[in-house]
Amino acid sequence: MITFRLSSSVYTYAAYLVLMVWLLWPGRFASLYEYIEGENIYDQLIRKTTKNISLMRNGLRCDYSEVIEENLSLYRPPFTEDIINNNVRIGGEYYPEDCLPSFSTAIIVPYRQRERQLNQFLIYMHNYLRRQRIHYRIFVIEQYDPKPFNRAKLFNIGALIAMGMDYPCLVLHDVDLMPMSLGHLYACSRKPRHMCSSLDTFRFNLPYRGLFGGAVAIESSAFLNVNGFSNMFSGWGGEDDDLYARLQDKQIEICRFSPAYSQYSMLSHRKETPNKDRLVFLKNGKLRYHTDGLNSLVYKQVGFKLHNLFTHVLVET
């Protein structure tokens, strides 16, 4: 009988190989979650527009079936390099002229000192959104003071301005996120929606079910109902978890689309300084839901300008 003896080095190598596979496996920390399949997306969307769009009488409704069904991967040249056939209106607004759109969406982007990323974002997003044949406007809310960056407060400011312009749907969007799948319509669903659940930075997995940031679609009425974001989260972290907790407190469920529709790419950027008080604010947040948010928002608007590709709101927080 022939026997083979394996040296300890072979066992060590095998153990190392197993460990590396486990470490590199994309789904090892992924959180499983329910999602809306592609064929059900359109039925979950709320067909609502601003009054000026509703009053238009220019023919048939826009058809979205092909955009959703094909779900083209658009994040590539030439769409990332320059605006193609620029017909964006002043202020970064667009709506198709050959059909009546079913959705009006305000894309709100908090911003400070990321000019290169903003340029990339505007070029790609206008190429992306116009192909969806929706009515939209991009608002860039810039913090114009040396205080720690207050992303949540900028979202609140942008939301109030957009709602003042009658936008029924808000997309709260970081400037460094790019949607890859065209079938993910930038419109509000019946439930607030976490849009970027399949992000390349997380190896296209969802780290935890309560993650509710980066790109979020929420009806203006729902955002008002939860009193928006807390204004206390300066620096990095905590405000998205607090918003999710506010929705839970009102027993408002969130939703996500299928990962095939929710793929996003994150642009490289310098990390913001973490908010050392964020865990404390999260812990006692429930005490402030009704007093800290849209109804307590204080800021100074120092500029408002309609640029070719966006509506620019300059504020001191």
Side-chain angles (χ1 to χ4, degrees):
M1 181 177 180
I2 300 175
T3 61
F4 295 92
R5 288 187 177 180
L6 297 177
S7 67
S8 60
S9 61
V10 173
Y11 284 113
T12 301
Y13 176 77
Y16 174 77
L17 186 61
V18 171
L19 177 63
M20 288 304 296
V21 169
W22 182 81
L23 287 173
L24 296 176
W25 186 256
R28 68 189 178 97
F29 291 135
S31 175
L32 299 178
Y33 59 94
E34 295 180 354
Y35 53 77
I36 298 168
E37 295 284 4
E39 60 266 26
N40 298 321
I41 284 178
Y42 186 73
D43 289 338
Q44 294 296 317
L45 298 178
I46 298 171
R47 290 174 279 285
K48 194 172 184 180
T49 60
T50 56
K51 290 184 178 66
N52 62 317
I53 295 296
S54 300
L55 293 173
M56 289 182 177
R57 298 289 184 269
N58 59 342
L60 299 175
R61 285 276 179 184
C62 299
D63 180 23
Y64 300 96
S65 57
E66 186 174 320
V67 172
I68 295 174
E69 289 171 10
E70 291 187 353
N71 194 30
L72 297 176
S73 179
L74 209 68
Y75 190 56
R76 65 183 191 279
F79 306 108
T80 57
E81 297 176 337
D82 200 1
I83 294 184
I84 301 169
N85 300 325
N86 189 355
N87 56 352
V88 179
R89 295 172 179 269
I90 191 74
E93 182 182 20
Y94 172 81
Y95 54 82
E97 296 185 351
D98 61 340
C99 62
L100 188 64
S102 296
F103 312 103
S104 288
T105 303
I107 294 96
I108 300 170
V109 184
Y111 172 78
R112 183 169 69 180
Q113 297 176 346
R114 290 191 182 182
E115 185 175 352
R116 181 180 177 185
Q117 287 188 344
L118 179 60
N119 185 58
Q120 291 176 278
F121 179 86
L122 292 170
I123 287 173
Y124 178 66
M125 291 303 292
H126 280 301
N127 286 332
Y128 175 94
L129 291 168
R130 285 179 298 153
R131 296 174 79 90
Q132 292 192 340
R133 303 176 72 74
I134 65 171
H135 169 224
Y136 71 88
R137 187 186 193 112
I138 296 179
F139 295 82
V140 175
I141 317 299
E142 180 176 2
Q143 184 171 331
Y144 188 65
D145 59 51
K147 299 176 187 177
F149 189 63
N150 195 324
R151 171 176 172 269
K153 199 169 188 179
L154 298 179
F155 275 138
N156 282 345
I157 294 169
L160 287 180
I161 292 171
M163 287 188 282
M165 295 184 179
D166 194 39
Y167 280 91
C169 176
L170 309 173
V171 170
L172 312 173
H173 209 301
D174 287 344
V175 73
D176 55 13
L177 290 184
M178 305 294 197
M180 302 172 71
S181 307
L182 188 62
H184 195 142
L185 288 186
Y186 269 53
C188 280
S189 39
R190 297 176 187 176
K191 300 176 181 178
R193 186 169 78 256
H194 181 222
M195 303 176 73
C196 53
S197 56
S198 185
L199 182 61
D200 60 355
T201 300
F202 300 139
R203 302 173 69 88
F204 298 105
N205 287 302
L206 183 69
Y208 61 98
R209 292 188 182 186
L211 182 61
F212 193 64
V216 165
I218 183 170
E219 282 191 279
S220 297
S221 57
F223 196 67
L224 280 170
N225 187 23
V226 299
N227 199 22
F229 280 94
S230 165
N231 296 307
M232 298 181 67
F233 288 87
S234 297
W236 179 87
E239 67 273 15
D240 294 325
D241 291 332
D242 185 79
L243 178 63
Y244 180 68
R246 289 174 179 233
L247 290 167
Q248 287 187 309
D249 184 65
K250 294 283 189 177
Q251 298 182 328
I252 300 174
E253 296 180 351
I254 69 167
C255 71
R256 296 181 173 94
F257 287 167
S258 162
Y261 288 81
S262 304
Q263 291 187 349
Y264 278 68
S265 181
M266 178 180 285
L267 302 175
S268 60
H269 63 282
R270 177 180 57 83
K271 300 294 184 182
E272 294 286 341
T273 304
N275 180 346
K276 59 182 176 59
D277 297 318
R278 65 189 186 278
L279 297 180
V280 175
F281 290 158
L282 280 171
K283 186 176 181 180
N284 61 29
K286 188 177 177 66
L287 301 175
R288 297 177 284 99
Y289 293 162
H290 302 295
T291 58
D292 170 27
L294 293 174
N295 62 3
S296 65
L297 184 62
V298 177
Y299 70 98
K300 180 181 178 182
Q301 183 174 301
V302 296
F304 186 96
K305 185 174 181 180
L306 302 180
H307 291 271
N308 289 335
L309 299 180
F310 63 99
T311 295
H312 186 199
V313 184
L314 200 62
V315 299
E316 292 179 356
T317 60

